[in-house]
Amino acid sequence: MGCYSEEVSCTVSCVARDAKKTNGIRSLDDVSLAIIEQLQEDGRRPYAAIGKAVGLSEAAVRQRVQKLQDQGVMQIVAVTDPLTVGFLRQAMVGINVEGDLEAVADALAEIDEVDYVVITAGSFDLLVEIVCQDDEHLLEMITKRIRSLPGVRSTESFVYLKLRKQTYTWGTR
């Protein structure tokens, strides 16, 4: 999951977006995939060490990493355990929408407390993860910020009691 201290995990998350795609999936060469794997193991790994592992110079690795970031393929971020930085409540919210699904998804993505928005098929149109300071903040988010959005028909909340696993190493398998 990247480098991990008591409070912060540095990870690389990879997502397929525009640019060169095959059947809707971005195609990356083996060297780029190997660089991503190196960074997923330790997001602070020096470019020189990555270069040795993948057979490139430090400068070439630096350029590749920058290009992967610029293209939206990956980002290198510090991932924290919300409890250790003062956020005592997390929840996944299932949302059913009337009308323009993407407009509602875009509006939700603009909310600071929302860290994950996905359009789904199944019981809910959208799944949204929110991180809140406490139960009062969670209540405000659901009743005043989410349910009040035009197009939101209904919500169902799944409050997190304990996080057992969170990993970001799926990007290259």
Side-chain angles (χ1 to χ4, degrees), residues 40-58:
Q40 284 178 325
E41 288 175 16
D42 181 352
R44 298 180 298 176
R45 183 166 286 155
Y47 290 146
I50 295 170
K52 282 185 181 179
V54 303
L56 292 177
S57 69
E58 178 180 351

Side-chain angles (χ1 to χ4, degrees), residues 130-146:
I130 55 177
V131 179
C132 300
Q133 295 162 349
D134 53 29
D135 287 337
E136 188 67 30
H137 188 199
L138 176 63
L139 179 62
E140 177 187 329
M141 285 297 306
I142 293 169
T143 60
K144 295 182 180 168
R145 303 285 303 280
I146 295 174

Side-chain angles (χ1 to χ4, degrees), residues 54-72:
V54 303
L56 292 177
S57 69
E58 178 180 351
V61 171
R62 184 181 319 281
Q63 288 175 345
R64 287 233 189 184
V65 168
Q66 188 61 55
K67 184 176 179 184
L68 291 167
Q69 289 176 309
D70 291 347
Q71 292 176 336

Side-chain angles (χ1 to χ4, degrees), residues 83-159:
L83 288 173
T84 65
V85 292
F87 296 99
L88 304 178
R89 184 60 67 214
Q90 285 182 274
M92 183 68 67
V93 182
I95 302 171
N96 287 309
V97 174
E98 293 176 332
D100 189 348
L101 182 60
E102 291 192 12
V104 175
D106 290 343
L108 289 163
E110 294 298 317
I111 298 172
D112 287 340
E113 292 88 347
V114 172
D115 67 4
Y116 178 82
V117 178
V118 63
I119 297 172
T120 66
S123 299
F124 299 104
D125 297 313
L126 300 168
L127 288 176
V128 175
E129 184 178 63
I130 55 177
V131 179
C132 300
Q133 295 162 349
D134 53 29
D135 287 337
E136 188 67 30
H137 188 199
L138 176 63
L139 179 62
E140 177 187 329
M141 285 297 306
I142 293 169
T143 60
K144 295 182 180 168
R145 303 285 303 280
I146 295 174
R147 288 184 181 161
S148 67
L149 287 173
V152 172
R153 185 176 62 220
S154 64
T155 65
E156 185 173 345
S157 302
F158 303 89
V159 176

